[in-house]
Structures are given as structure tokens and as C-alpha cells.
Amino acid sequence: MATGMEIDDDGLVFHNRAIEEPSLLRTIYLNKKLNINHHPGLYQYSDWLPIRRILQGSSLPSTYRSTKLASYLGLSKLHITFNGYWKERNADMTTGTFKECEAYTVCSRFPWELGKTLVVASAGNTARAYMKVCSENQLPLVLVVPNKLLTRLWSTTRVNHCVKVISADGDCDYSDAIKLSDLISTMDGFQNSGGTRNVAKRDGLGVTVLSAISMMGEIPDYYYQAIGSGAGAIAAYEANLRLVESGDYRYKMMKLHLSQNIPFTPIADAWKQRIRTVDIEEEHAKYQIGKICAKVLSNRNPPYGLAGGLYDALTKSEGNVFGVTNREIKEACALFEKLEGCDILPESGAAVAALIKNINSGSVAKQSSILLNITGGGYKNIKRDFGINRIKPDVSIGRQQFATDLMYKKIQALIEKE
């Protein structure tokens, strides 16, 4: 996105290797029209997914027109896209998160024939998704998760031995887990997933918008989602662009209305000043992260200011970023469950809270067309129908062990044991 240069996709290209300037890539598809295929799950949208194969077990988000929440807020056109497990709404993501869309697409793009192990860092939701995909399809995976967020790592089935879990120990947070995963990826036989730089991550998450707008029949005026890195919001913007360019929809850029959990609001703070840099001191950031209830919204190094990143998406969509408190999130979660009938995760509650805030303030007209992305929910349904198995780490590595011989020996021993 910095140069306009076209690059052939080898399944592992995450940036333009010819330049030093940080920039995202964006996929170019041969089919400019969105054709719905007869493949299972999210692969129905395979024409706009950078994939090499179709894996088993994927599901699509479920979009429906809200009546009860819409009536409560006085909205005339509120659509909800639900990602999670809710049989009554035909939502069948048994990890309870839209990260399944990412994991299936990234794993379908990855060149497994090279014999490498995929390395993924996560604050919980992403780990559950990749664990499901790789376990069910027997693909080698190393997950790196902060020790204090391991309670978010669970599965409805027994996890295949091809999946290994490493705990970033002590007071490590999500950003530390990312750093550790990067170090592991420098070892022979390992490959980092690329994070937001991987076009498969964003195009997979973009299926949420593709499926929703296909059902709605129009591009909405506003799009609501909570953000940690902002990858899902960039994906929504890119999906919007492709739908406009297809010529099948009236030109419209939905305004990205994004939310973060107060007091950890680095993107909201930077956007308020309209600056491209997110600058926050590490210890202060960790203090703030310790205070938020939506722990997955805790990325200290988001893809914000680089070319094609979140700053550009917000600018071109005339979007905004809002801070919401723990109390507002918990009240929003309770309200959604009471009115719509299903529990949602705190990060989803942050999106609902931002919507409520905007409607109550009058900054968004009640007759607007609104798409609310519930990125995770149905945990109670999952526990009821399947039960859950807590996942223990295979090895723990503290920050003081990062990049040491001991760290490399632990990783090597873990693989050799297998």
C-alpha cells in the first residue's frame, strides 16, 4: 500500500521486501464480482480468500435484523452479525469467536508442504481458533499465550498432539507473547503467522462483512466493533472497498465506529489527536491493561500508522474510536443477553456500549443503517452443549529467558519430545 507495487503471492509474503517503509499488503483477486460458491462454511467466499486448500470444520457468522435491542435503542435498521455458538441463530463457531474466520483462512494459505510449524501469539480468542483448526486438520502449531490469560484457552474436544502451547510466564502480556513468538519463529522449522501483515488474516476476518452485507443487500452507514490491534476493522474497510468496486452495491463507505476499553485506549487517544503514532510507555500500558475487563483488547503495538493500516481506514471511512468503561461494558453485555437472548464476550460488549453511547448522545441518527459486529459469544451455550476442557501449557518461558540458550533448548526439547 506504500508503493502500489504488485507482488506474487508465495503464501508467506507479509511485506514488500524491496522497501524498508512499513506497509500492509492488500490482495488483488481475479474475480471482481463476489460469487458465492458451494463450498462448506466460510469457503463459500473463496473467490475473495487467498487460499490454497479447503480445510474441514469452518462456519460462517450469522447476520440477522434486530428487533428487541433495536426497539430499546429506537433504531429502525440495526443488523447484528453474531460470531460464536448460538444454535437458534444458526451460529456454529464452537470457539465462540470470529477469530475462526482468520484461523481457517491463514491455515488455508500457509504452505504446509515446506514442513514448517506455524507460530501464533494470542491473548486467548485467537489461540482457541487456531487450536481448533490445526487440531482437527492435524497441522503443526505452536501457540504462545500470556500465563495470566491461559484461563481463556479451552477446547470442546481433545486437542491433537500436533498443537503445542507455550506460556509467556510471569507478568508477560499479549505484546510480550508476540515478542516471544517472533523469537521462536527465527528457529529452523518454525514460521510466524505474520499477524495483521498476513493478508489471509484480514481477508478471513472480512468474511464477517461480506456475509453480512450479502444478507442485508446494502452497505450500512455505520459499522461497530471493538478493537485490540484493529485488524478486524481494517478487514471490514477492505471488504467494503471490494464490494464497492464490484459494482453490485451503491457506492458507500460505512463509517468505522470502533471502541476500546478505558483506561487502555492508545488508538482512541492517537485518533483523537489525528496523529499516526501510538506512543505509550510500557509500564504505564501494563498498568492500564491490568484494569480493563476486555483483556483481548490489549495490543500495545497495533498496525495503526503504517500505510494501509487503521489510521488510513479511519480517515477514508470518516470513522471514529471511542473509549468505554468496564461498567459500560458489563451493562451492555447484560442488556444484550436480556434482549437478544445470548451471552457475549466483554469485547463484544465494548462494541454494544459504544453504540449505546452514540445513540444516547444523538451523534448517530436513529434511522441510520447500522451493522453491529458481535465478535464473540455463546460461551454459556458451548458449556451446556459440549462442556469445556481447560488447556495446560506444554512449557513456560519467562521474559528473563527470552532469546537465551535456555529458551531455545526448551523449544527444541518440546519438538523433539514429539
Side-chain angles (χ1 to χ4, degrees), residues 367-399:
Q367 66 269 26
S368 301
S369 173
I370 298 171
L371 177 57
L372 170 62
N373 187 359
I374 298 297
T375 54
Y379 180 70
K380 293 179 181 178
N381 296 334
I382 293 171
K383 287 183 69 176
R384 178 197 66 205
D385 289 357
F386 302 101
I388 59 171
N389 302 306
R390 299 290 180 185
I391 307 301
K392 296 181 179 180
D394 294 285
V395 67
S396 297
I397 298 174
R399 190 186 299 104

Side-chain angles (χ1 to χ4, degrees), residues 146-193:
N147 178 66
K148 53 191 174 185
L149 298 180
L150 282 175
T151 56
R152 299 173 183 271
L153 194 56
W154 46 262
S155 174
T156 59
T157 60
R158 185 175 180 180
V159 178
N160 190 286
H161 54 76
C162 64
V163 176
K164 303 298 182 185
V165 177
I166 295 176
S167 166
D169 224 354
D171 66 344
C172 287
D173 64 6
Y174 180 32
S175 294
D176 292 315
I178 293 173
K179 182 177 180 180
L180 178 55
S181 71
D182 288 341
L183 289 169
I184 295 170
S185 298
T186 63
M187 299 174 64
D188 289 341
F190 295 90
Q191 174 62 55
N192 197 293
S193 68

Side-chain angles (χ1 to χ4, degrees), residues 55 73 137 146 189 204 264 286 321 325 331 391 409:
L55 301 174
L73 295 175
N137 290 276
F264 185 71
K286 290 190 173 186
V321 189
T325 65
E331 290 176 350
I391 307 301
K409 287 178 180 178

Side-chain angles (χ1 to χ4, degrees), residues 209-369:
V209 169
L210 298 181
S211 62
I213 293 178
S214 296
M215 179 270 178
M216 294 170 65
E218 66 171 353
I219 296 170
D221 299 317
Y222 295 93
Y223 171 82
Y224 279 82
Q225 185 197 313
I227 55 169
S229 70
I234 300 170
Y237 168 73
E238 292 175 329
N240 189 161
L241 282 179
R242 291 192 178 103
L243 290 170
V244 166
E245 292 166 358
S246 74
D248 291 335
Y249 295 88
R250 180 172 65 86
Y251 180 85
K252 185 194 291 185
M253 296 308 300
M254 57 188 185
K255 298 179 188 295
L256 301 178
H257 273 202
L258 313 176
S259 51
Q260 293 198 291
N261 191 173
I262 295 171
F264 185 71
T265 56
I267 295 175
D269 296 341
W271 178 248
K272 186 176 181 179
Q273 300 176 65
R274 296 301 190 271
I275 57 176
R276 278 189 173 270
T277 55
V278 172
D279 186 18
I280 183 168
E281 191 270 326
E282 180 177 343
E283 289 306 313
H284 186 52
K286 290 190 173 186
Y287 170 79
Q288 292 179 334
I289 290 169
K291 296 292 184 180
I292 64 176
C293 64
K295 297 294 186 184
V296 300
L297 307 180
S298 59
N299 193 318
R300 289 192 275 115
N301 300 291
Y304 175 71
L306 73 175
L310 188 57
Y311 180 91
D312 287 345
L314 284 165
T315 300
K316 293 174 182 177
S317 72
E318 299 181 3
N320 211 339
V321 189
F322 308 93
V324 291
T325 65
N326 287 344
R327 180 176 179 177
E328 288 171 326
I329 289 173
K330 291 172 183 177
E331 290 176 350
C333 287
L335 181 66
F336 187 95
E337 184 171 3
K338 177 183 177 182
L339 296 178
E340 295 294 331
C342 188
D343 65 291
I344 58 176
L345 297 178
E347 54 272 21
S348 299
V352 178
L355 174 61
I356 294 171
K357 213 170 195 178
N358 289 171
I359 296 302
N360 289 342
S361 70
S363 61
V364 172
K366 292 186 177 182
Q367 66 269 26
S368 301
S369 173

